[in-house]
Amino acid sequence: MPNTFELTDKALKREMTLTSELNDQTDRGAAIVGVAWVEEEMQAAIKSFLEEDKKAWDRLFGRSGPLATLSSKIDLARLLGMCSKVIASDLHILREIRNEFAHTVVARDNSVLTFESPHVKDKCLALKCVAHEPVSDPRTAFIRACAILNADFYMHRYFGQKVSSGGLIHARIEQGVY
C-alpha cells in the first residue's frame, strides 16, 4: 500500500503544476482546463467508490454511456453523498461556464468572451465554495473553486468519506464493520 504522505506530496505537486498551467492560460483555456481537472478527479473518486468491473465501467462511463457527461457525473457524486447540494450546484455552475467558453465564440454583447463578461462574472462570483475567501476577481474565484473541488474529490479517493454522513460510503459486512 502506498504511503499516504507520498500520495499527498504527489497530489500537492500536481495541484501546483495545474494551478500554474491555469494561470498561464487564456480565459477560454482556463475554463476548459480547470473543469477538466475537476472532472478527472471526480471520476477517479467515483471509480474508487465502485466495484472494479472494466466492462461495466466502460458501458457506463464510455463515450456514449449514460454517465459519460460531466452533468451525469455531478449528479452521481451527489447521489453517492460525495458532495452536498450546494457543492453540486457549484459543480454545475463550473460546467456551465466551461460550456460557455467551449461552445460560444463571442460574448452575448458581441465582445470577446472573458471571465469579466457580465453573465460569466456573475456565475464565478456566485460560487459558494469560495464565498469564505475575499475574492472579487471572477477568474481567481473560478480557479480557486476548481482547486478546492479537485482537492475535495482527491480526499474522497483516499479517505472514502461521504459528506452527508461523515461515514464510510459502504459497509464492510464481511469484516463486521457497519
Side-chain angles (χ1 to χ4, degrees), residues 108-162:
R108 294 175 182 168
D109 64 358
N110 291 321
S111 64
V112 174
L113 183 63
T114 70
F115 283 110
E116 291 293 335
S117 297
H119 62 288
V120 174
K121 180 178 181 176
D122 291 344
K123 287 180 181 184
C124 291
L125 296 179
L127 292 164
K128 301 285 189 239
C129 65
V130 294
H132 65 285
E133 298 182 14
V135 178
S136 59
D137 173 58
R139 181 182 169 107
T140 301
F142 179 88
I143 291 173
R144 285 292 303 137
C146 289
I148 289 168
L149 296 173
N150 175 276
D152 284 353
F153 284 110
Y154 171 83
M155 298 298 279
H156 276 291
R157 283 200 298 147
Y158 291 101
F159 296 108
Q161 295 288 315
K162 282 174 50 172

Coordinates of all heavy atoms in Angstrom, one line a residue, residues 108-162:
R108 N -22.3 37.6 -25.3 CA -23.7 37.9 -25.7 C -23.7 39.3 -26.3 O -24.6 39.6 -27.2 CB -24.6 37.9 -24.6 CG -24.8 36.4 -24.1 CD -25.6 36.3 -22.8 NE -25.7 34.9 -22.4 CZ -26.2 34.6 -21.3 NH1 -26.7 35.5 -20.4 NH2 -26.2 33.3 -20.9
D109 N -22.8 40.2 -25.9 CA -22.8 41.6 -26.5 C -21.8 41.7 -27.6 O -21.4 42.8 -28.0 CB -22.4 42.6 -25.4 CG -21.0 42.4 -24.8 OD1 -20.3 41.4 -25.2 OD2 -20.6 43.2 -23.9
N110 N -21.4 40.6 -28.2 CA -20.5 40.5 -29.4 C -19.1 41.0 -29.0 O -18.3 41.3 -29.9 CB -21.1 41.3 -30.6 CG -22.3 40.6 -31.1 OD1 -22.3 39.3 -31.2 ND2 -23.3 41.3 -31.5
S111 N -18.7 41.0 -27.8 CA -17.3 41.3 -27.4 C -16.6 39.9 -27.2 O -17.2 38.9 -27.2 CB -17.3 42.1 -26.1 OG -17.9 41.4 -25.0
V112 N -15.3 40.0 -26.9 CA -14.6 38.8 -26.6 C -15.1 38.2 -25.3 O -15.3 38.9 -24.3 CB -13.1 39.1 -26.4 CG1 -12.3 37.9 -26.0 CG2 -12.5 39.7 -27.7
L113 N -15.3 36.9 -25.2 CA -15.8 36.2 -24.0 C -14.7 36.1 -23.1 O -13.6 35.5 -23.4 CB -16.4 34.9 -24.4 CG -17.0 34.1 -23.3 CD1 -18.2 34.8 -22.7 CD2 -17.4 32.7 -23.7
T114 N -14.9 36.6 -21.9 CA -13.8 36.5 -20.8 C -14.5 36.3 -19.5 O -15.8 36.3 -19.4 CB -13.0 37.8 -20.7 OG1 -13.9 38.9 -20.1 CG2 -12.4 38.3 -22.0
F115 N -13.7 36.1 -18.4 CA -14.3 35.9 -17.1 C -15.0 37.2 -16.6 O -15.8 37.2 -15.7 CB -13.3 35.5 -16.1 CG -12.9 34.0 -16.2 CD1 -11.7 33.6 -16.7 CD2 -13.9 33.0 -15.8 CE1 -11.4 32.2 -16.7 CE2 -13.6 31.7 -15.9 CZ -12.3 31.3 -16.4
E116 N -14.7 38.3 -17.3 CA -15.3 39.6 -17.0 C -16.6 39.9 -17.7 O -17.3 40.8 -17.4 CB -14.3 40.8 -17.3 CG -13.1 40.8 -16.4 CD -13.4 41.2 -14.9 OE1 -14.4 41.8 -14.7 OE2 -12.6 40.8 -14.0
S117 N -16.9 39.0 -18.6 CA -18.2 39.1 -19.3 C -19.3 39.0 -18.2 O -19.2 38.1 -17.4 CB -18.4 38.0 -20.4 OG -17.4 38.1 -21.4
P118 N -20.3 39.9 -18.2 CA -21.2 40.0 -17.0 C -21.8 38.7 -16.6 O -21.8 38.4 -15.4 CB -22.2 41.0 -17.5 CG -21.5 41.9 -18.5 CD -20.5 41.0 -19.2
H119 N -22.4 37.9 -17.5 CA -23.0 36.6 -17.1 C -22.0 35.6 -16.6 O -22.3 34.8 -15.7 CB -23.9 36.1 -18.2 CG -23.1 35.7 -19.5 ND1 -22.6 36.7 -20.3 CD2 -22.8 34.5 -20.0 CE1 -22.0 36.1 -21.3 NE2 -22.1 34.8 -21.1
V120 N -20.8 35.6 -17.1 CA -19.8 34.7 -16.6 C -19.3 35.2 -15.3 O -19.1 34.4 -14.3 CB -18.6 34.6 -17.6 CG1 -17.5 33.7 -17.1 CG2 -19.1 34.0 -19.0
K121 N -19.0 36.5 -15.2 CA -18.6 37.1 -13.9 C -19.5 36.8 -12.8 O -19.1 36.4 -11.7 CB -18.4 38.6 -14.1 CG -17.9 39.3 -12.8 CD -17.7 40.8 -13.1 CE -17.2 41.5 -11.9 NZ -16.9 42.9 -12.1
D122 N -20.8 37.0 -13.0 CA -21.9 36.7 -12.0 C -21.8 35.3 -11.5 O -21.9 35.0 -10.3 CB -23.2 37.1 -12.5 CG -23.5 38.5 -12.7 OD1 -22.7 39.4 -12.2 OD2 -24.4 38.9 -13.5
K123 N -21.7 34.3 -12.5 CA -21.6 32.9 -12.1 C -20.4 32.6 -11.3 O -20.4 31.9 -10.3 CB -21.6 32.0 -13.3 CG -23.0 32.0 -14.0 CD -22.9 31.1 -15.3 CE -24.3 31.1 -15.9 NZ -24.3 30.2 -17.1
C124 N -19.2 33.2 -11.6 CA -18.0 32.9 -10.9 C -18.1 33.5 -9.5 O -17.7 32.8 -8.5 CB -16.8 33.6 -11.6 SG -16.3 32.8 -13.2
L125 N -18.6 34.6 -9.4 CA -18.7 35.3 -8.0 C -19.8 34.7 -7.2 O -19.9 35.0 -6.0 CB -18.8 36.8 -8.2 CG -17.6 37.5 -8.8 CD1 -17.8 39.0 -9.0 CD2 -16.3 37.2 -8.1
A126 N -20.7 33.9 -7.8 CA -21.7 33.2 -7.0 C -21.3 31.8 -6.5 O -22.1 31.2 -5.7 CB -23.0 33.0 -7.9
L127 N -20.1 31.4 -6.8 CA -19.7 30.1 -6.3 C -19.5 30.0 -4.8 O -18.8 30.8 -4.2 CB -18.3 29.7 -7.0 CG -18.4 29.5 -8.5 CD1 -17.0 29.5 -9.1 CD2 -19.1 28.1 -8.8
K128 N -20.3 29.2 -4.2 CA -20.3 29.1 -2.7 C -19.1 28.5 -2.1 O -18.7 28.9 -1.0 CB -21.5 28.2 -2.3 CG -22.9 28.7 -2.8 CD -23.3 29.9 -2.0 CE -24.7 30.3 -2.4 NZ -24.9 31.6 -2.9
C129 N -18.4 27.7 -2.8 CA -17.2 27.0 -2.3 C -16.0 28.0 -2.1 O -15.1 27.7 -1.4 CB -16.7 25.8 -3.1 SG -16.2 26.3 -4.8
V130 N -16.1 29.2 -2.6 CA -15.1 30.2 -2.4 C -15.7 31.5 -1.7 O -15.0 32.5 -1.6 CB -14.4 30.7 -3.7 CG1 -13.6 29.5 -4.3 CG2 -15.4 31.2 -4.8
A131 N -16.9 31.4 -1.2 CA -17.5 32.5 -0.6 C -16.8 32.9 0.7 O -16.9 34.1 1.1 CB -19.0 32.2 -0.3
H132 N -16.1 32.0 1.3 CA -15.4 32.3 2.6 C -14.1 33.1 2.3 O -13.5 33.6 3.2 CB -15.1 31.1 3.3 CG -14.1 30.1 2.6 ND1 -14.5 29.4 1.5 CD2 -12.8 29.9 2.8 CE1 -13.5 28.7 1.1 NE2 -12.5 29.0 1.8
E133 N -13.7 33.2 1.0 CA -12.5 33.9 0.7 C -12.8 35.3 0.1 O -13.8 35.5 -0.5 CB -11.7 33.1 -0.4 CG -11.3 31.7 0.0 CD -10.5 30.9 -1.1 OE1 -10.1 31.6 -2.1 OE2 -10.4 29.7 -0.9
P134 N -11.9 36.2 0.4 CA -12.1 37.6 -0.1 C -11.8 37.7 -1.6 O -10.8 38.4 -1.9 CB -11.2 38.4 0.8 CG -10.1 37.5 1.1 CD -10.7 36.2 1.2
V135 N -12.5 37.1 -2.4 CA -12.2 37.0 -3.9 C -13.2 37.9 -4.6 O -14.4 37.7 -4.5 CB -12.3 35.6 -4.4 CG1 -12.1 35.6 -5.9 CG2 -11.4 34.7 -3.7
S136 N -12.7 38.9 -5.4 CA -13.6 39.8 -6.1 C -13.3 39.7 -7.6 O -14.1 40.1 -8.4 CB -13.4 41.2 -5.7 OG -12.1 41.6 -5.9
D137 N -12.2 39.0 -8.0 CA -11.9 38.8 -9.4 C -12.5 37.4 -9.8 O -12.3 36.4 -9.2 CB -10.4 38.7 -9.5 CG -9.9 38.3 -10.9 OD1 -10.3 39.0 -11.9 OD2 -9.2 37.3 -11.1
P138 N -13.3 37.5 -10.9 CA -14.0 36.2 -11.3 C -13.1 35.1 -11.7 O -13.4 33.9 -11.5 CB -15.0 36.7 -12.4 CG -14.4 38.0 -12.9 CD -13.7 38.6 -11.7
R139 N -12.0 35.4 -12.4 CA -11.1 34.4 -12.9 C -10.5 33.7 -11.6 O -10.3 32.5 -11.6 CB -10.0 35.0 -13.8 CG -9.0 34.0 -14.3 CD -7.9 34.6 -15.1 NE -6.9 33.7 -15.4 CZ -6.6 33.1 -16.6 NH1 -7.4 33.4 -17.6 NH2 -5.6 32.3 -16.7
T140 N -10.1 34.5 -10.7 CA -9.5 34.0 -9.4 C -10.5 33.1 -8.7 O -10.2 32.0 -8.3 CB -9.0 35.1 -8.5 OG1 -8.0 35.9 -9.2 CG2 -8.4 34.5 -7.2
A141 N -11.7 33.5 -8.6 CA -12.8 32.7 -8.0 C -13.0 31.4 -8.7 O -13.1 30.4 -8.1 CB -14.1 33.5 -8.0
F142 N -13.0 31.4 -10.0 CA -13.1 30.2 -10.8 C -12.0 29.3 -10.6 O -12.2 28.1 -10.3 CB -13.2 30.6 -12.3 CG -13.3 29.4 -13.2 CD1 -14.6 28.9 -13.5 CD2 -12.2 28.7 -13.7 CE1 -14.7 27.7 -14.3 CE2 -12.4 27.6 -14.5 CZ -13.6 27.1 -14.8
I143 N -10.7 29.7 -10.7 CA -9.6 28.9 -10.5 C -9.5 28.3 -9.1 O -9.2 27.1 -8.8 CB -8.3 29.6 -10.9 CG1 -8.3 29.8 -12.4 CG2 -7.0 28.8 -10.4 CD1 -7.1 30.7 -12.9
R144 N -9.8 29.2 -8.1 CA -9.8 28.7 -6.7 C -10.9 27.6 -6.5 O -10.7 26.6 -5.8 CB -10.1 29.9 -5.7 CG -8.9 30.8 -5.5 CD -7.8 30.1 -4.7 NE -8.2 29.6 -3.5 CZ -7.9 28.4 -2.9 NH1 -7.1 27.6 -3.6 NH2 -8.4 28.0 -1.8
A145 N -12.1 27.8 -7.1 CA -13.1 26.8 -7.0 C -12.7 25.5 -7.6 O -12.9 24.4 -7.0 CB -14.4 27.3 -7.7
C146 N -12.0 25.5 -8.7 CA -11.5 24.3 -9.4 C -10.5 23.6 -8.4 O -10.6 22.4 -8.3 CB -10.9 24.6 -10.7 SG -12.1 25.1 -12.0
A147 N -9.6 24.4 -7.8 CA -8.6 23.8 -7.0 C -9.3 23.2 -5.7 O -8.9 22.1 -5.3 CB -7.6 24.9 -6.6
I148 N -10.2 23.9 -5.1 CA -10.9 23.4 -3.9 C -11.7 22.1 -4.2 O -11.6 21.1 -3.5 CB -11.8 24.5 -3.3 CG1 -10.9 25.6 -2.7 CG2 -12.8 23.9 -2.3 CD1 -11.7 26.8 -2.3
L149 N -12.4 22.1 -5.3 CA -13.3 21.0 -5.6 C -12.4 19.8 -6.0 O -12.7 18.6 -5.7 CB -14.3 21.3 -6.6 CG -15.3 22.4 -6.1 CD1 -16.2 22.9 -7.2 CD2 -16.1 21.9 -4.9
N150 N -11.3 20.0 -6.8 CA -10.4 19.0 -7.1 C -9.9 18.3 -5.9 O -9.8 17.1 -5.7 CB -9.3 19.5 -8.0 CG -8.3 18.5 -8.3 OD1 -7.4 18.2 -7.5 ND2 -8.4 17.8 -9.4
A151 N -9.4 19.1 -4.9 CA -8.9 18.6 -3.6 C -9.9 17.8 -2.9 O -9.6 16.8 -2.3 CB -8.3 19.8 -2.8
D152 N -11.2 18.3 -2.9 CA -12.2 17.6 -2.2 C -12.4 16.1 -2.7 O -12.5 15.2 -2.0 CB -13.6 18.3 -2.3 CG -13.6 19.5 -1.4 OD1 -12.7 19.7 -0.5 OD2 -14.6 20.3 -1.5
F153 N -12.4 16.0 -4.1 CA -12.6 14.7 -4.7 C -11.3 13.8 -4.5 O -11.4 12.6 -4.3 CB -13.0 14.8 -6.1 CG -14.4 15.2 -6.3 CD1 -14.8 16.5 -6.8 CD2 -15.5 14.3 -5.9 CE1 -16.1 16.8 -6.9 CE2 -16.8 14.7 -6.0 CZ -17.1 16.0 -6.5
Y154 N -10.2 14.5 -4.5 CA -9.0 13.7 -4.2 C -9.1 13.1 -2.8 O -8.7 12.0 -2.6 CB -7.8 14.7 -4.3 CG -6.5 14.1 -3.8 CD1 -5.7 13.3 -4.6 CD2 -6.0 14.3 -2.5 CE1 -4.5 12.7 -4.1 CE2 -4.8 13.7 -2.0 CZ -4.1 12.9 -2.8 OH -2.9 12.3 -2.4
M155 N -9.5 13.9 -1.8 CA -9.7 13.4 -0.4 C -10.6 12.2 -0.4 O -10.4 11.3 0.4 CB -10.2 14.5 0.5 CG -9.2 15.7 0.6 SD -7.6 15.2 1.3 CE -8.0 15.2 3.0
H156 N -11.7 12.2 -1.2 CA -12.6 11.1 -1.2 C -11.9 9.8 -1.6 O -12.2 8.8 -1.1 CB -13.8 11.4 -2.2 CG -14.9 12.2 -1.6 ND1 -15.7 11.7 -0.6 CD2 -15.3 13.5 -1.8 CE1 -16.6 12.6 -0.3 NE2 -16.3 13.7 -1.0
R157 N -11.0 9.9 -2.6 CA -10.4 8.7 -3.0 C -9.5 8.1 -1.9 O -9.4 6.9 -1.9 CB -9.4 9.0 -4.2 CG -10.2 9.2 -5.5 CD -9.3 9.0 -6.7 NE -8.2 10.0 -6.7 CZ -7.0 9.8 -7.2 NH1 -6.7 8.6 -7.7 NH2 -6.1 10.7 -7.3
Y158 N -9.0 8.9 -1.1 CA -8.0 8.3 -0.1 C -8.7 8.1 1.3 O -8.1 7.4 2.1 CB -6.8 9.2 0.0 CG -6.0 9.0 -1.3 CD1 -6.1 9.9 -2.3 CD2 -5.3 7.8 -1.5 CE1 -5.4 9.7 -3.5 CE2 -4.7 7.5 -2.7 CZ -4.7 8.5 -3.7 OH -4.1 8.2 -4.9
F159 N -9.8 8.7 1.6 CA -10.4 8.6 2.9 C -11.8 7.9 2.8 O -12.3 7.5 3.8 CB -10.5 9.9 3.6 CG -9.1 10.4 3.9 CD1 -8.6 11.5 3.2 CD2 -8.3 9.8 4.8 CE1 -7.4 12.0 3.5 CE2 -7.0 10.3 5.1 CZ -6.5 11.4 4.4
G160 N -12.4 7.8 1.6 CA -13.7 7.2 1.4 C -14.8 7.7 2.3 O -15.6 6.9 2.8
Q161 N -14.8 9.0 2.5 CA -15.9 9.6 3.3 C -17.0 10.2 2.5 O -16.8 10.8 1.5 CB -15.3 10.7 4.2 CG -14.2 10.2 5.2 CD -14.8 9.4 6.3 OE1 -15.8 9.9 6.9 NE2 -14.3 8.3 6.7
K162 N -18.2 9.9 3.0 CA -19.4 10.6 2.4 C -19.5 11.9 3.1 O -19.5 12.0 4.4 CB -20.6 9.8 2.6 CG -20.8 8.6 1.7 CD -21.9 7.7 1.9 CE -23.2 8.4 2.1 NZ -24.3 7.4 2.2

